[in-house]
Amino acid sequence: MAEQCYHCGDQIVGKTVVYDEHPFCCNGCKSVYQLLEEHSLHAFYDYEQQAGTKPGKINSYEFDFLDVPEIRRKYIDFEDAHRARVTMHLPDIHCSSCIYLLENIHRINPHIQSSFIQFTKKEASFQFDPEALKLSELAELLSSIGYKPRFGSLGANQKKADRSFLYKMGIAGFAFGSIMLWTFPEYLGLSEDFLPFRNFTSYLSLLVSIPVLLYSASDYFKSAWKALQNKYLNLDVPVALGIITLYGQSLWSILNEQGSGYMDSFSGFIFFLLIGKWFQQRGYQAMNFERDYSAYFPVAVQRIRKGNETELVEIDRLEIGEHIRIRNDEIVPCDAILLDENAQIDYSFVTGESVIADIHQNDHIYAGGKIIGQAARFEVLEKTKRSQLTRMWNMSSSQKEELQKDKQQRNISRYFLTAVLVIALISAVSWFFLDQSQVMHVVVSVLIVTCPCALALSAPFTYGNMMRLLGRKGLYLKNADVVKQLNQCTDIVFDKTGTLSSIRQQVHFEGKETLNETERCLLSRLCENSTHPHAQGILEWILKDSSSSSCAPWTMSDYLEQVGKGISANFHSPGGASVSMRLGTSSWIGAEQNNDRPEVSSYLSINGTSKGRFIFESEFPEELKDTLQHLRSYQLHVLTGDKERDLEKLQQIFPETSVMKFRQSPEDKYEYVKALQAKGSKVLMLGDGLNDSGALHEAWTGIAICDELGHFSPSSDAITDRHGLILLPDYLKNVRFAKRIMNVCLIFSALYNLVGLSFAVSGQLSPLVAAILMPLSSLSIVLITSLSVWKLAPGISEKK
């Protein structure tokens, strides 16, 4: 048996290249091995044996086009003086070793700062130093280790692949029809009278079957061979074995002039397999959950109208050239130019590193940056790409969990397919003694009809459909796996302010003297930069009683917002006067606090002098009590930074077993959730996405409650508005229904395989019928999940 290359696993043809006592098929594979060893990446071969991809020949000028500024900008997702991020399509990613190597590519070239691999999409995002490493050099490095990036239009590549698939299906269909026509006399029992004609048509059948074997069925052979090289079984292994068995027996019959054998079944088998695959692909495209999800992505932004007034609009409605206003802690939804003199921005959502950068007027700002401090005005450069924001949001997901899931599915497939092969072998031996003419039919039918793909499809289609349904009803999930996470939750933790209670309409000021027009105007300027519920409540209170613009000439500087404490800024008039203003907790502004008065308050100081406080009356939705009663099966918790003023109200609407904790800082909330999960609880956290970002991120599932869906929280797994909180029992009921659909799919898949296997083993199922039934089982799962979710799922009240 020919040796296999230690790196890529290909059989070595010709002279073996030996290095470090390992055989290699070429110097390219040897060079990659040397490169990995030099940088202590030998663990690459521990994940999967012979898992490497053979590097192709690299033209030193092949990627020079990536250094042309106009072309380069098309591929760069983000760039500043020290960092650039690019996403590339790497079609040769195929196993855990690939992920290990690409995750550690910074050890080969230290100018690559980080990498993130999306295994299912075969995409990789790289962050690198643009001053030290060109984009073309990054592409060359990837090519040199066997992961040549593919540039160009994904749509064009898809059309090319579609045409190739149709050609394969057409050739198989032509061969099937022709062979059926030529072998028709055999079905009528006339072939014995026309042996020369029968032998002639048998050779014709062999001739037209060759392109079917080598071209139409090639994908199944490639997939099965790659799986066997990496020492695991996939769904194409038994299919490939069935094809070889059927074709081999037919070839033997033709060469021995015993007729065309099963050549008609062989060509029909490939033809119907490809038809089923085509229908599956159409189904996947029709149910492109990510595309549909992106269309629901609920990010809104303040658009500036004439007269400097603002309106909240969905990001899809933004046009190039329009002006938008982004407040503190809000995400810039599209590429834009800064209109103000300066601002501060944090690109941690894009780069993963929380580094605050100073930006200046006319600077190019990339989508995904988060404004820190004073609100800033921008001019829209490009229309928003929701899919780009979606990809950033999903990058916070653990790819190790995705890889672990893939390994679990691979183990299930391995055991299932091993059992199928054993059953096929036992059936072959049994029928050899019963009726040798039936051996081929039985073996091929067993290999084809038993297929776990119906079960494999049930999870993505059930969860994907449910994600779309919930999105249409106001709960927007990061990905389909969040449906499964919600189903596993045991505890629900609520923040109070901005989540359970709405405080904007219940504000009044308490102080030694009232605020004059200038002070009120400056305070509104301070509050409009923040998205915190207290600041927005005060802003509405001011605008309700006054529309004065008496402070228009004043400029603001040194805006600061500290989570859990408050906001501050300095104002300067044209005449040289200055005002320092602080709004927040009593300790933040240095005011005396009366612990005997538990009102929820925000204190105001001007030029270091306490002016009084704003008192907020909590207002809970009327439907909240009924909502919480429907959640009694969960352990409920309330965490709030407020005092105990609302304790009595909360006790009236929450079940008696609920746990309530007051005076909780953002750090306290985080530690509380962490402690719950350490005890084995799986926490569903609901917060406003600002002070609760740490707890939302730590929870098993985090839902950000966002008024008007304008404040996007990357820390959360889902987003909804206040009405979504009332619908939470309906959402969770639908999630439980999704689990029941999964159980139905499991039963269907088991029954299909048992019934199909019994017919195949008993010799009552032809390979042709098995080839038709296999894709039908997958399509049945698609129909079951889709119809169940969209027609039978529990009703959800329409959003108000």
Side-chain angles (χ1 to χ4, degrees):
M1 182 177 178
E3 282 187 302
Q4 288 185 319
C5 177
Y6 182 75
H7 175 72
C8 71
D10 285 353
Q11 286 192 353
I12 299 175
V13 179
K15 185 177 179 181
T16 301
V17 178
V18 179
Y19 178 81
D20 199 16
E21 299 182 357
H22 295 303
F24 298 94
C25 63
C26 62
N27 285 316
C29 287
K30 185 194 79 170
S31 297
V32 177
Y33 173 84
Q34 288 177 301
L35 186 66
L36 300 184
E37 287 295 307
E38 288 172 6
H39 295 89
S40 301
L41 293 173
H42 45 269
F44 172 80
Y45 300 102
D46 296 336
Y47 283 86
E48 302 276 353
Q49 290 295 316
Q50 302 165 338
T53 299
K54 185 186 297 186
K57 294 182 179 179
I58 303 174
N59 184 333
S60 58
Y61 304 104
E62 183 175 1
F63 298 109
D64 282 357
F65 71 94
L66 294 174
D67 296 328
V68 178
E70 293 78 9
I71 298 176
R72 185 177 183 275
R73 277 197 294 268
K74 294 180 181 179
Y75 298 106
I76 293 292
D77 298 328
F78 159 80
E79 184 174 19
D80 61 16
H82 307 291
R83 293 165 297 183
R85 179 175 286 275
V86 63
T87 301
M88 297 180 177
H89 178 52
L90 307 181
D92 292 315
I93 297 176
H94 65 278
C95 67
S96 54
S97 287
C98 303
I99 294 178
Y100 167 80
L101 176 54
L102 293 171
E103 280 184 340
N104 290 276
I105 196 171
H106 60 276
R107 291 162 63 177
I108 297 176
N109 190 320
H111 301 307
I112 300 173
Q113 298 161 345
S114 64
S115 58
F116 178 86
I117 317 304
Q118 290 184 292
F119 179 71
T120 54
K121 294 183 180 179
K122 297 185 181 297
E123 286 184 352
S125 294
F126 300 97
Q127 184 172 302
F128 60 98
D129 183 352
E131 294 293 326
L133 182 66
K134 295 179 181 179
L135 183 57
S136 61
E137 293 172 342
L138 174 59
E140 287 179 12
L141 173 61
L142 292 169
S143 295
S144 70
I145 60 175
Y147 301 97
K148 184 176 181 179
R150 180 178 296 172
F151 297 96
S153 171
L154 291 178
N157 291 331
Q158 183 61 45
K159 288 181 180 178
K160 183 178 178 181
D162 287 343
R163 284 197 301 270
S164 175
F165 186 84
L166 290 175
Y167 293 153
K168 292 175 181 178
M169 190 163 60
I171 290 172
F174 170 77
F176 174 52
S178 300
I179 296 173
M180 285 290 291
L181 180 63
W182 295 331
T183 58
F184 187 70
E186 294 187 40
Y187 288 97
L188 300 179
L190 303 176
S191 60
E192 295 298 328
D193 299 326
F194 302 95
L195 288 178
F197 180 75
R198 186 195 70 176
N199 294 335
F200 174 70
T201 55
S202 296
Y203 282 106
L204 279 179
S205 300
L206 176 61
L207 181 65
V208 298
S209 71
I210 292 174
V212 177
L213 178 71
L214 300 181
Y215 181 61
S216 298
S218 59
D219 290 340
Y220 294 101
F221 292 130
K222 290 176 183 177
S223 175
W225 176 245
K226 198 66 180 178
L228 294 175
Q229 278 185 313
N230 291 289
K231 298 183 180 179
Y232 71 91
L233 297 176
N234 64 10
L235 299 180
D236 291 328
V237 171
V239 174
L241 285 175
I243 293 171
I244 294 171
T245 302
L246 201 58
Y247 192 82
Q249 197 278 338
S250 302
L251 179 63
W252 186 87
S253 296
I254 292 172
L255 295 179
N256 286 277
E257 298 185 349
Q258 296 180 2
S260 60
Y262 302 111
M263 202 60 80
D264 53 346
S265 295
F266 161 77
S267 55
F269 172 48
I270 302 299
F271 180 54
F272 285 110
L273 276 181
L274 293 175
I275 288 178
K277 192 173 184 180
W278 184 83
F279 273 111
Q280 286 182 5
Q281 290 177 350
R282 297 302 99 183
Y284 293 149
Q285 292 177 9
M287 301 269 185
N288 190 327
F289 302 122
E290 182 183 3
R291 180 191 62 213
D292 291 331
Y293 164 69
S294 299
Y296 301 137
F297 200 64
V299 176
V301 68
Q302 286 189 336
R303 181 169 61 189
I304 301 175
R305 300 186 297 181
K306 291 182 179 180
N308 213 32
E309 296 181 355
T310 61
E311 61 176 343
L312 196 67
V313 298
E314 289 191 359
I315 58 177
D316 273 352
R317 293 172 55 191
L318 293 177
E319 299 292 338
I320 296 174
E322 289 186 328
H323 293 183
I324 57 176
R325 185 170 177 273
I326 309 296
R327 298 170 294 181
N328 177 62
D329 211 44
E330 286 187 327
I331 300 293
V332 180
C334 55
D335 286 8
I337 292 177
L338 179 65
L339 297 175
D340 294 329
E341 290 187 5
N342 52 65
Q344 289 187 314
I345 195 165
D346 178 8
Y347 277 113
S348 58
F349 186 32
V350 182
T351 65
E353 301 176 15
S354 184
V355 178
I356 298 175
D358 292 319
I359 55 176
H360 306 284
Q361 194 172 44
N362 296 324
D363 279 357
H364 181 108
I365 309 302
Y366 289 91
K370 181 172 66 175
I371 290 298
I372 300 297
Q374 183 175 339
R377 297 176 302 120
F378 298 88
E379 179 180 330
V380 176
L381 272 184
E382 294 184 11
K383 289 182 69 68
T384 299
K385 296 179 181 177
R386 290 177 184 255
S387 59
Q388 183 179 2
L389 295 178
T390 304
R391 184 174 69 243
M392 293 178 190
W393 196 15
N394 276 284
M395 281 175 64
S396 61
S397 302
S398 172
Q399 57 197 18
K400 290 185 174 60
E401 290 180 4
E402 180 182 344
L403 183 59
Q404 184 64 31
K405 187 196 310 179
D406 178 69
K407 285 185 175 180
Q408 291 173 355
Q409 293 175 349
R410 185 184 298 177
N411 288 334
I412 293 173
S413 296
R414 180 187 294 123
Y415 296 134
F416 183 93
L417 295 174
T418 300
V420 169
L421 294 176
V422 170
I423 293 172
L425 179 61
I426 294 174
S427 300
V429 173
S430 302
W431 277 99
F432 180 81
F433 294 105
L434 295 174
D435 183 356
Q436 294 184 12
S437 65
Q438 291 291 319
V439 171
M440 290 298 104
H441 264 103
V442 170
V443 171
V444 174
S445 298
V446 169
L447 292 174
I448 301 308
V449 78
T450 48
C451 177
C453 52
L455 181 60
L457 287 175
S458 59
F461 271 88
T462 301
Y463 293 151
N465 273 303
M466 185 57 68
M467 184 182 77
R468 293 177 64 196
L469 176 66
L470 295 177
R472 291 188 178 183
K473 300 301 182 180
L475 179 65
Y476 308 95
L477 308 183
K478 175 182 282 190
N479 52 54
D481 287 337
V482 179
V483 177
K484 183 178 180 180
Q485 292 173 217
L486 283 169
N487 203 32
Q488 297 171 338
C489 291
T490 58
D491 293 54
I492 303 178
V493 176
F494 297 93
D495 171 55
K496 184 178 79 69
T497 306
T499 302
L500 294 174
S501 63
S502 177
I503 58 175
R504 291 192 177 184
Q505 302 301 322
Q506 303 292 326
V507 181
H508 67 273
F509 180 71
E510 180 184 90
K512 296 179 181 178
E513 56 185 31
T514 59
L515 302 176
N516 60 43
E517 280 299 310
T518 300
E519 291 172 336
R520 292 162 70 94
C521 186
L522 293 178
L523 180 58
S524 70
R525 294 269 299 277
L526 176 66
C527 291
E528 69 183 7
N529 288 275
S530 174
T531 57
H532 193 280
H534 285 189
Q536 291 301 302
I538 294 170
L539 178 60
E540 288 191 11
W541 175 81
I542 295 173
L543 296 178
K544 188 191 308 181
D545 295 339
S546 173
S547 58
S548 171
S549 59
S550 59
C551 63
W554 290 66
T555 59
M556 184 171 66
S557 65
D558 304 318
Y559 177 88
L560 176 65
E561 179 163 359
Q562 289 200 6
V563 175
K565 294 183 178 180
I567 54 179
S568 66
N570 296 321
F571 297 90
H572 311 278
S573 73
S578 62
V579 172
S580 175
M581 188 172 286
R582 280 196 168 206
L583 176 71
T585 63
S586 57
S587 58
W588 168 250
I589 70 165
E592 293 184 5
Q593 180 179 358
N594 187 347
N595 290 324
D596 296 330
R597 304 185 65 179
E599 295 93 347
V600 179
S601 307
S602 284
Y603 293 79
L604 173 67
S605 72
I606 299 178
N607 292 328
T609 301
S610 176
K611 301 291 290 186
R613 62 175 181 158
F614 290 91
I615 300 175
F616 304 93
E617 296 289 339
S618 298
E619 185 178 74
F620 299 98
E622 294 180 0
E623 311 93 331
L624 184 59
K625 184 172 183 178
D626 289 338
T627 295
L628 296 173
Q629 292 303 315
H630 284 98
L631 297 175
R632 295 178 68 93
S633 58
Y634 299 88
Q635 175 61 54
L636 304 183
H637 311 254
V638 178
L639 303 179
T640 176
D642 298 336
K643 301 176 187 177
E644 291 80 355
R645 173 185 175 88
D646 294 319
L647 176 59
E648 186 175 342
K649 289 183 181 180
L650 292 172
Q651 288 176 335
Q652 291 174 356
I653 60 178
F654 269 83
E656 295 179 358
T657 57
S658 303
V659 178
M660 300 180 189
K661 289 189 173 291
F662 294 82
R663 305 174 191 257
Q664 299 290 296
S665 68
E667 292 77 15
D668 293 333
K669 296 177 184 178
Y670 169 82
E671 292 297 337
Y672 185 84
V673 171
K674 185 177 181 180
L676 275 179
Q677 303 217 131
K679 296 177 182 178
S681 300
K682 293 192 174 178
V683 175
L684 168 59
M685 172 74 192
L686 292 94
D688 60 16
L690 185 61
N691 293 345
D692 310 312
S693 58
L696 285 171
H697 185 268
E698 178 63 25
W700 180 252
T701 308
I703 300 179
I705 306 295
C706 305
D707 280 332
E708 300 170 324
L709 296 175
H711 186 75
F712 171 61
S713 175
S715 300
S716 62
D717 298 299
I719 308 171
T720 189
D721 61 4
R722 191 166 307 284
H723 187 61
L725 170 67
I726 303 303
L727 298 180
L728 184 61
D730 289 342
Y731 294 149
L732 295 176
K733 188 185 298 182
N734 275 264
V735 166
R736 292 191 292 271
F737 180 72
K739 185 177 181 180
R740 289 199 292 273
I741 297 175
M742 286 287 296
N743 292 334
V744 170
C745 292
L746 176 63
I747 295 172
F748 173 85
S749 182
L751 288 175
Y752 164 81
N753 282 285
L754 288 174
V755 173
L757 189 62
S758 63
F759 277 98
V761 170
S762 63
Q764 302 178 57
L765 188 66
S766 72
L768 194 59
V769 175
I772 297 173
L773 290 177
M774 190 178 79
L776 282 180
S777 67
S778 300
L779 292 175
S780 299
I781 288 295
V782 173
L783 290 174
I784 290 172
T785 57
S786 301
L787 292 176
S788 298
V789 170
W790 292 100
K791 299 298 183 182
L792 303 178
I796 300 178
S797 303
E798 293 294 331
K799 290 187 64 178
K800 297 179 180 178

mmCIF file of all heavy atoms in Angstrom, residues 423-446:
data_model
loop_
_atom_site.group_PDB
_atom_site.id
_atom_site.type_symbol
_atom_site.label_atom_id
_atom_site.label_comp_id
_atom_site.label_asym_id
_atom_site.label_seq_id
_atom_site.Cartn_x
_atom_site.Cartn_y
_atom_site.Cartn_z
ATOM 1 N N ILE A 423 -24.580 -3.927 9.835
ATOM 2 C CA ILE A 423 -25.843 -4.522 9.380
ATOM 3 C C ILE A 423 -25.747 -4.911 7.902
ATOM 4 O O ILE A 423 -26.223 -5.976 7.487
ATOM 5 C CB ILE A 423 -27.013 -3.549 9.614
ATOM 6 C CG1 ILE A 423 -27.245 -3.364 11.122
ATOM 7 C CG2 ILE A 423 -28.287 -4.039 8.941
ATOM 8 C CD1 ILE A 423 -28.238 -2.286 11.468
ATOM 9 N N ALA A 424 -25.126 -4.044 7.087
ATOM 10 C CA ALA A 424 -24.966 -4.349 5.655
ATOM 11 C C ALA A 424 -24.119 -5.603 5.463
ATOM 12 O O ALA A 424 -24.430 -6.455 4.610
ATOM 13 C CB ALA A 424 -24.326 -3.159 4.942
ATOM 14 N N LEU A 425 -23.064 -5.744 6.267
ATOM 15 C CA LEU A 425 -22.194 -6.929 6.157
ATOM 16 C C LEU A 425 -22.944 -8.194 6.560
ATOM 17 O O LEU A 425 -22.878 -9.232 5.866
ATOM 18 C CB LEU A 425 -20.961 -6.729 7.048
ATOM 19 C CG LEU A 425 -19.961 -7.897 7.073
ATOM 20 C CD1 LEU A 425 -19.396 -8.144 5.665
ATOM 21 C CD2 LEU A 425 -18.825 -7.609 8.054
ATOM 22 N N ILE A 426 -23.693 -8.130 7.674
ATOM 23 C CA ILE A 426 -24.454 -9.301 8.120
ATOM 24 C C ILE A 426 -25.516 -9.676 7.079
ATOM 25 O O ILE A 426 -25.731 -10.865 6.782
ATOM 26 C CB ILE A 426 -25.114 -9.011 9.489
ATOM 27 C CG1 ILE A 426 -24.031 -8.832 10.572
ATOM 28 C CG2 ILE A 426 -26.081 -10.131 9.867
ATOM 29 C CD1 ILE A 426 -24.583 -8.398 11.915
ATOM 30 N N SER A 427 -26.157 -8.643 6.494
ATOM 31 C CA SER A 427 -27.183 -8.914 5.471
ATOM 32 C C SER A 427 -26.564 -9.571 4.250
ATOM 33 O O SER A 427 -27.147 -10.496 3.655
ATOM 34 C CB SER A 427 -27.872 -7.601 5.074
ATOM 35 O OG SER A 427 -28.486 -6.988 6.186
ATOM 36 N N ALA A 428 -25.368 -9.091 3.860
ATOM 37 C CA ALA A 428 -24.697 -9.676 2.685
ATOM 38 C C ALA A 428 -24.372 -11.144 2.911
ATOM 39 O O ALA A 428 -24.598 -11.994 2.029
ATOM 40 C CB ALA A 428 -23.426 -8.880 2.386
ATOM 41 N N VAL A 429 -23.852 -11.464 4.087
ATOM 42 C CA VAL A 429 -23.515 -12.861 4.396
ATOM 43 C C VAL A 429 -24.773 -13.727 4.410
ATOM 44 O O VAL A 429 -24.800 -14.845 3.864
ATOM 45 C CB VAL A 429 -22.770 -12.947 5.744
ATOM 46 C CG1 VAL A 429 -22.565 -14.398 6.151
ATOM 47 C CG2 VAL A 429 -21.435 -12.214 5.661
ATOM 48 N N SER A 430 -25.830 -13.217 5.012
ATOM 49 C CA SER A 430 -27.074 -13.978 5.104
ATOM 50 C C SER A 430 -27.668 -14.246 3.722
ATOM 51 O O SER A 430 -28.058 -15.384 3.398
ATOM 52 C CB SER A 430 -28.089 -13.229 5.967
ATOM 53 O OG SER A 430 -27.578 -12.988 7.265
ATOM 54 N N TRP A 431 -27.729 -13.218 2.884
ATOM 55 C CA TRP A 431 -28.318 -13.388 1.553
ATOM 56 C C TRP A 431 -27.401 -14.177 0.613
ATOM 57 O O TRP A 431 -27.871 -14.740 -0.386
ATOM 58 C CB TRP A 431 -28.643 -12.022 0.943
ATOM 59 C CG TRP A 431 -29.959 -11.504 1.418
ATOM 60 C CD1 TRP A 431 -30.186 -10.599 2.399
ATOM 61 C CD2 TRP A 431 -31.246 -11.904 0.931
ATOM 62 N NE1 TRP A 431 -31.525 -10.385 2.578
ATOM 63 C CE2 TRP A 431 -32.200 -11.182 1.681
ATOM 64 C CE3 TRP A 431 -31.680 -12.805 -0.039
ATOM 65 C CZ2 TRP A 431 -33.570 -11.332 1.475
ATOM 66 C CZ3 TRP A 431 -33.049 -12.948 -0.258
ATOM 67 C CH2 TRP A 431 -33.978 -12.220 0.495
ATOM 68 N N PHE A 432 -26.143 -14.243 0.921
ATOM 69 C CA PHE A 432 -25.229 -15.064 0.114
ATOM 70 C C PHE A 432 -25.649 -16.528 0.169
ATOM 71 O O PHE A 432 -25.556 -17.252 -0.816
ATOM 72 C CB PHE A 432 -23.795 -14.896 0.603
ATOM 73 C CG PHE A 432 -22.789 -15.698 -0.168
ATOM 74 C CD1 PHE A 432 -22.295 -15.233 -1.386
ATOM 75 C CD2 PHE A 432 -22.348 -16.934 0.300
ATOM 76 C CE1 PHE A 432 -21.380 -15.983 -2.109
ATOM 77 C CE2 PHE A 432 -21.430 -17.687 -0.427
ATOM 78 C CZ PHE A 432 -20.937 -17.201 -1.633
ATOM 79 N N PHE A 433 -26.139 -16.940 1.335
ATOM 80 C CA PHE A 433 -26.580 -18.329 1.481
ATOM 81 C C PHE A 433 -28.039 -18.514 1.062
ATOM 82 O O PHE A 433 -28.453 -19.618 0.711
ATOM 83 C CB PHE A 433 -26.392 -18.791 2.931
ATOM 84 C CG PHE A 433 -24.962 -18.871 3.361
ATOM 85 C CD1 PHE A 433 -24.410 -17.907 4.191
ATOM 86 C CD2 PHE A 433 -24.145 -19.907 2.926
ATOM 87 C CE1 PHE A 433 -23.084 -17.970 4.585
ATOM 88 C CE2 PHE A 433 -22.815 -19.976 3.318
ATOM 89 C CZ PHE A 433 -22.277 -19.010 4.144
ATOM 90 N N LEU A 434 -28.823 -17.406 1.091
ATOM 91 C CA LEU A 434 -30.232 -17.515 0.718
ATOM 92 C C LEU A 434 -30.441 -17.354 -0.779
ATOM 93 O O LEU A 434 -31.112 -18.168 -1.415
ATOM 94 C CB LEU A 434 -31.049 -16.457 1.476
ATOM 95 C CG LEU A 434 -31.104 -16.603 2.997
ATOM 96 C CD1 LEU A 434 -31.811 -15.422 3.617
ATOM 97 C CD2 LEU A 434 -31.816 -17.902 3.379
ATOM 98 N N ASP A 435 -29.904 -16.274 -1.339
ATOM 99 C CA ASP A 435 -30.096 -15.995 -2.768
ATOM 100 C C ASP A 435 -29.003 -15.020 -3.189
ATOM 101 O O ASP A 435 -29.108 -13.810 -2.940
ATOM 102 C CB ASP A 435 -31.487 -15.400 -3.006
ATOM 103 C CG ASP A 435 -31.760 -15.170 -4.493
ATOM 104 O OD1 ASP A 435 -30.853 -15.389 -5.323
ATOM 105 O OD2 ASP A 435 -32.890 -14.751 -4.814
ATOM 106 N N GLN A 436 -27.978 -15.532 -3.821
ATOM 107 C CA GLN A 436 -26.827 -14.692 -4.167
ATOM 108 C C GLN A 436 -27.193 -13.550 -5.107
ATOM 109 O O GLN A 436 -26.541 -12.503 -5.102
ATOM 110 C CB GLN A 436 -25.729 -15.550 -4.803
ATOM 111 C CG GLN A 436 -25.112 -16.571 -3.861
ATOM 112 C CD GLN A 436 -23.974 -17.339 -4.493
ATOM 113 O OE1 GLN A 436 -23.482 -16.969 -5.559
ATOM 114 N NE2 GLN A 436 -23.550 -18.425 -3.845
ATOM 115 N N SER A 437 -28.234 -13.713 -5.906
ATOM 116 C CA SER A 437 -28.624 -12.652 -6.840
ATOM 117 C C SER A 437 -29.159 -11.412 -6.121
ATOM 118 O O SER A 437 -29.245 -10.337 -6.708
ATOM 119 C CB SER A 437 -29.679 -13.175 -7.820
ATOM 120 O OG SER A 437 -30.882 -13.509 -7.132
ATOM 121 N N GLN A 438 -29.543 -11.586 -4.840
ATOM 122 C CA GLN A 438 -30.114 -10.461 -4.088
ATOM 123 C C GLN A 438 -29.084 -9.716 -3.238
ATOM 124 O O GLN A 438 -29.405 -8.688 -2.644
ATOM 125 C CB GLN A 438 -31.221 -10.975 -3.158
ATOM 126 C CG GLN A 438 -32.458 -11.461 -3.880
ATOM 127 C CD GLN A 438 -33.212 -10.308 -4.517
ATOM 128 O OE1 GLN A 438 -33.353 -9.239 -3.939
ATOM 129 N NE2 GLN A 438 -33.689 -10.534 -5.735
ATOM 130 N N VAL A 439 -27.846 -10.215 -3.190
ATOM 131 C CA VAL A 439 -26.853 -9.637 -2.283
ATOM 132 C C VAL A 439 -26.614 -8.156 -2.578
ATOM 133 O O VAL A 439 -26.640 -7.304 -1.686
ATOM 134 C CB VAL A 439 -25.531 -10.432 -2.351
ATOM 135 C CG1 VAL A 439 -24.441 -9.697 -1.566
ATOM 136 C CG2 VAL A 439 -25.729 -11.832 -1.785
ATOM 137 N N MET A 440 -26.381 -7.843 -3.862
ATOM 138 C CA MET A 440 -26.075 -6.463 -4.219
ATOM 139 C C MET A 440 -27.240 -5.523 -3.909
ATOM 140 O O MET A 440 -27.059 -4.444 -3.371
ATOM 141 C CB MET A 440 -25.711 -6.368 -5.704
ATOM 142 C CG MET A 440 -24.384 -7.000 -6.078
ATOM 143 S SD MET A 440 -22.977 -6.200 -5.252
ATOM 144 C CE MET A 440 -22.602 -7.416 -3.988
ATOM 145 N N HIS A 441 -28.452 -5.973 -4.285
ATOM 146 C CA HIS A 441 -29.632 -5.146 -4.017
ATOM 147 C C HIS A 441 -29.774 -4.851 -2.519
ATOM 148 O O HIS A 441 -30.020 -3.711 -2.109
ATOM 149 C CB HIS A 441 -30.897 -5.858 -4.516
ATOM 150 C CG HIS A 441 -31.316 -5.428 -5.878
ATOM 151 N ND1 HIS A 441 -31.090 -6.180 -7.008
ATOM 152 C CD2 HIS A 441 -31.931 -4.298 -6.301
ATOM 153 C CE1 HIS A 441 -31.561 -5.548 -8.071
ATOM 154 N NE2 HIS A 441 -32.083 -4.399 -7.667
ATOM 155 N N VAL A 442 -29.624 -5.882 -1.713
ATOM 156 C CA VAL A 442 -29.827 -5.731 -0.274
ATOM 157 C C VAL A 442 -28.760 -4.818 0.334
ATOM 158 O O VAL A 442 -29.067 -3.889 1.102
ATOM 159 C CB VAL A 442 -29.822 -7.107 0.414
ATOM 160 C CG1 VAL A 442 -29.786 -6.942 1.936
ATOM 161 C CG2 VAL A 442 -31.034 -7.919 -0.007
ATOM 162 N N VAL A 443 -27.489 -5.084 -0.002
ATOM 163 C CA VAL A 443 -26.398 -4.288 0.575
ATOM 164 C C VAL A 443 -26.543 -2.813 0.215
ATOM 165 O O VAL A 443 -26.455 -1.919 1.067
ATOM 166 C CB VAL A 443 -25.027 -4.825 0.106
ATOM 167 C CG1 VAL A 443 -23.916 -3.863 0.516
ATOM 168 C CG2 VAL A 443 -24.775 -6.195 0.712
ATOM 169 N N VAL A 444 -26.766 -2.536 -1.060
ATOM 170 C CA VAL A 444 -26.881 -1.134 -1.490
ATOM 171 C C VAL A 444 -28.092 -0.470 -0.842
ATOM 172 O O VAL A 444 -28.022 0.686 -0.387
ATOM 173 C CB VAL A 444 -26.965 -1.056 -3.032
ATOM 174 C CG1 VAL A 444 -27.225 0.373 -3.471
ATOM 175 C CG2 VAL A 444 -25.677 -1.568 -3.651
ATOM 176 N N SER A 445 -29.221 -1.172 -0.776
ATOM 177 C CA SER A 445 -30.427 -0.605 -0.171
ATOM 178 C C SER A 445 -30.204 -0.281 1.306
ATOM 179 O O SER A 445 -30.638 0.764 1.806
ATOM 180 C CB SER A 445 -31.607 -1.565 -0.332
ATOM 181 O OG SER A 445 -31.894 -1.761 -1.696
ATOM 182 N N VAL A 446 -29.520 -1.177 2.034
ATOM 183 C CA VAL A 446 -29.223 -0.925 3.446
ATOM 184 C C VAL A 446 -28.334 0.310 3.608
ATOM 185 O O VAL A 446 -28.564 1.166 4.471
ATOM 186 C CB VAL A 446 -28.558 -2.160 4.088
ATOM 187 C CG1 VAL A 446 -27.999 -1.817 5.473
ATOM 188 C CG2 VAL A 446 -29.555 -3.296 4.202
#
